[in-house]
Amino acid sequence: MLDADLLLRLSEDFLAWAAYFGIELYDWQAEAFGQASRRAGGRFMHPLAGISVPRGNGKSWGSSAVGAWRLTTGPAPQEILSVALDIEGAKVTLEHGKRILRSHRDLEQAVEFRADSIVVPSTGSRWIVRSREHGSSRGLHPDVNLYDEIGWVRDDELFASLLAAQASVLDPFTLVTSTVGRSRSGPLWRVKELAEAAG
Amino acid sequence: MGGRRLLKGGAPRLLGRHDGLEGWAYRRAFDALAEAFDLPTPLLRFEAGRVAALRVQLEAATQALTAAQRARRIGRGRRPNAQAIERLARRQGLADGSYSQGLEKLRELAGRNGRQDFPALVAQAHREKANAGR
């Protein structure tokens, strides 16, 4: 039986959760995703966080690990939303999430894997994917948004819509990940500017 | 006459005799279920035995269907007709459905067996903390 203190610690600390369930992260992933998802006083220190690294380094995997962490430990019912340039891209994150959750028996047994979602029957939490059309995520109030390849989007409609959807969420978190896009504008650039302004 | 000894791991003796190919397949299926689920009670072990027996039937039906399809395609001499293949396919489909259904029910039963899952335990810890803070 896990004691309540340990459960709450796993819920507040992504890296502790990953270590507890034997989910291996590269050093850069532990540093970047650990920083991005830091919590204090029961809230995310950075409700909006961005991670940009070259292709093939495992940013989607890291993002998925964060999704799996919130799905299994966030105050219930959690809603995790994956989006990307298209629905197939969004499913990449979800599929990584499935692999992560299948890697540990206690996690695997707690969730139901569906074609386009992962559900936790005991808490009502769910992880869903939506297409890039901003209308497709209207009406949702995700606790966590995982937006992959944001550096390559043509406009910021979905980004703005996702942030607006979290206005009523008590403890929101949006994690954007991408390779570096060509333009010096758009949501990824905006996140970078905001981060620099915040010091 | 079937054996009378208890089977290893508390598996129910559903096949009567548990030697031979079927007995081996049943053992393999039961062990896989015991690895995937906690089976602490006789009821759960019996249910796991049922699912293991269904898997034995599924494997046999699938093998029979595949063998007949192959024989019809490349066999010599008397070959199974389309009706026979259809009959075997139906049998395989039924075996597949029964196994899936049984496995799902076992999953549900094993999950309810007094053991809360990790997210439920975390949710409970959150609730207790919130109540303590009031």
Side-chain angles (χ1 to χ4, degrees):
Chain A
M1 180 75 180
L2 296 164
D3 69 59
D5 286 342
L6 174 61
L7 290 166
L8 291 172
R9 192 162 71 80
L10 297 179
S11 159
E12 291 298 294
D13 186 339
F14 166 61
L15 296 179
W17 174 87
Y20 182 82
F21 287 108
I23 292 153
E24 290 179 10
L25 300 167
Y26 294 125
D27 289 346
W28 83 262
Q29 286 174 320
E31 190 184 345
F33 289 97
Q35 285 281 330
S37 63
R38 271 175 67 195
R39 292 174 63 77
R43 298 278 186 276
F44 281 100
M45 288 179 72
H46 312 292
L48 171 61
I51 294 174
S52 181
V53 290
R55 192 174 294 276
N57 276 20
K59 59 187 179 316
S60 302
W61 178 268
S63 175
S64 302
V66 170
W69 166 56
R70 293 320 289 164
L71 181 74
T72 55
T73 66
Q78 283 283 298
E79 186 158 78
I80 321 290
L81 175 65
S82 279
V83 290
L85 292 179
D86 53 28
I87 190 88
E88 294 308 316
K91 282 182 184 174
V92 168
T93 321
L94 187 77
E95 291 305 315
H96 283 327
K98 288 179 180 177
R99 280 180 57 199
I100 289 165
L101 291 164
R102 283 192 175 112
S103 71
H104 196 285
R105 183 175 161 168
D106 284 350
L107 296 176
E108 184 182 29
Q109 288 188 346
V111 301
E112 273 181 25
F113 299 106
R114 299 181 183 168
D116 290 340
S117 64
I118 307 172
V119 176
V120 184
S122 62
T123 61
S125 297
R126 63 181 189 150
W127 184 347
I128 54 176
V129 291
R130 285 291 183 268
S131 72
R132 69 173 176 169
E133 302 305 322
H134 65 92
S136 71
S137 50
R138 282 277 160 86
L140 298 174
H141 300 283
D143 298 274
V144 176
N145 291 318
L146 303 174
Y147 197 158
D148 200 10
E149 294 299 358
I150 196 173
W152 299 90
V153 296
R154 289 194 185 135
D155 56 58
D156 67 353
E157 279 194 349
L158 176 59
F159 182 62
S161 168
L162 291 175
L163 290 184
Q166 286 188 321
S168 60
V169 176
L170 198 59
D171 180 20
F173 184 52
T174 292
L175 178 60
V176 301
T177 47
S178 186
T179 51
V180 180
R182 268 172 295 199
S183 72
R184 294 190 159 211
S185 62
L188 183 64
W189 194 256
R190 180 92 184 107
V191 172
K192 175 184 171 288
E193 285 178 336
L194 286 170
E196 284 171 348
Chain B
M1 180 75 187
R4 293 194 178 172
R5 272 187 305 118
L6 286 173
L7 295 176
K8 200 178 76 179
R13 193 175 272 284
L14 292 180
L15 308 185
R17 290 181 61 140
H18 277 259
D19 53 357
L21 278 179
E22 289 83 5
W24 183 76
Y26 176 82
R27 163 56 52 196
R28 203 168 37 118
F30 186 86
D31 286 349
L33 292 168
E35 199 184 318
F37 303 108
D38 281 334
L39 305 173
T41 65
L43 174 66
L44 276 168
R45 286 193 290 275
F46 179 76
E47 292 300 318
R50 279 179 66 192
V51 177
L54 288 170
R55 178 168 154 182
V56 173
Q57 293 305 315
L58 171 62
E59 286 178 357
T62 308
Q63 279 164 15
L65 172 64
T66 313
Q69 284 171 329
R70 195 174 295 133
R72 182 165 167 79
R73 198 172 64 247
I74 55 172
R76 293 176 173 221
R78 192 171 171 202
R79 288 176 293 168
N81 60 23
Q83 251 183 336
I85 302 275
E86 174 63 30
R87 225 173 12 245
L88 287 168
R90 207 172 306 138
R91 190 180 136 207
Q92 195 274 344
L94 283 171
D96 186 69
S98 302
Y99 172 71
S100 302
Q101 223 172 22
L103 186 64
E104 205 44 54
K105 280 187 181 163
L106 177 66
R107 191 191 305 279
E108 198 181 307
L109 204 59
R112 276 206 311 258
N113 193 38
R115 205 174 124 247
Q116 280 187 294
D117 59 36
F118 175 74
L121 289 169
V122 177
Q124 192 181 332
H126 279 296
R127 274 196 304 274
E128 283 168 8
K129 188 183 173 196
N131 289 339
R134 275 181 196 161

